Amino acid sequence: MRIENLTILAAIGRNRELGKANDLCWRIREDLINFKNLTMGHYILMGENTYFSLPPKGLPGRKYLVMSPTLELDNGEVFRNLEEFLEFAKSTDEEIFVCGGGQIYKLLMPYCSKMILTEIDDIDSEATVFFPEWGSEWIVSESKDFVDNGLTYSRVVYII
């Protein structure tokens, strides 16, 4: 069952690298600005580790949703399990951006209707967190190429 307002948002390397040492593998200024523009005023869903990797002041202007069996939050909503979150997602028309980490992407991919991936033409051999593989049922609806400080990448929108 796909949920129309559920969108994955991630930046990945050639081998689907996402992160290391509880941080991003790459910090690309244009991509971070794009993330901010897309998510501003919307819900962002993440796991506990991703939540704790955010800057100390957080990400202003977003509504935090965190999946965690134990976490308590003053600045967002916590879901103890997948079923609890899915009920919430189905009850709102507002777009929810799934923002990591690797386990959350894997858990929610079967329910998402769109993925916006920044596909970086680079490898990070120190990566410890990876984006899940996805099947051929995902089709490219948009793609745009970029170069930033000698690093080439594409922003690709997949739909199902």
Side-chain angles (χ1 to χ4, degrees), residues 63-133:
K63 303 171 203 170
Y64 289 106
L65 305 174
V66 181
M67 290 190 67
S68 168
T70 58
L71 187 67
E72 297 295 328
L73 283 185
D74 292 335
N75 64 338
E77 195 163 342
V78 177
F79 299 94
R80 303 291 176 213
N81 57 55
L82 177 63
E83 293 74 26
E84 198 175 286
F85 170 73
L86 292 176
E87 284 305 312
F88 171 81
K90 288 187 277 185
S91 73
T92 182
D93 291 333
E94 192 169 335
E95 189 160 17
I96 301 169
F97 289 97
V98 180
C99 298
Q103 293 175 350
I104 297 299
Y105 289 130
K106 184 175 183 177
L107 184 65
L108 287 165
M109 189 176 284
Y111 304 97
C112 292
S113 60
K114 182 166 51 169
M115 293 193 297
I116 303 171
L117 299 182
T118 299
E119 297 178 353
I120 302 162
D121 187 22
D122 197 9
I123 294 171
D124 188 329
S125 60
E126 296 177 5
T128 56
V129 180
F130 295 84
F131 193 80
E133 291 187 29

Side-chain angles (χ1 to χ4, degrees), residues 9-26:
L9 189 55
I12 63 173
R14 266 190 242 149
N15 296 320
R16 300 184 335 278
E17 305 96 315
L18 277 171
K20 60 184 177 190
N22 212 27
D23 200 0
L24 301 171
C25 288
W26 296 272

Side-chain angles (χ1 to χ4, degrees), residues 49-67:
N49 287 342
T50 300
Y51 176 77
F52 285 120
S53 76
L54 296 177
K57 292 182 179 181
L59 302 174
R62 281 70 151 213
K63 303 171 203 170
Y64 289 106
L65 305 174
V66 181
M67 290 190 67

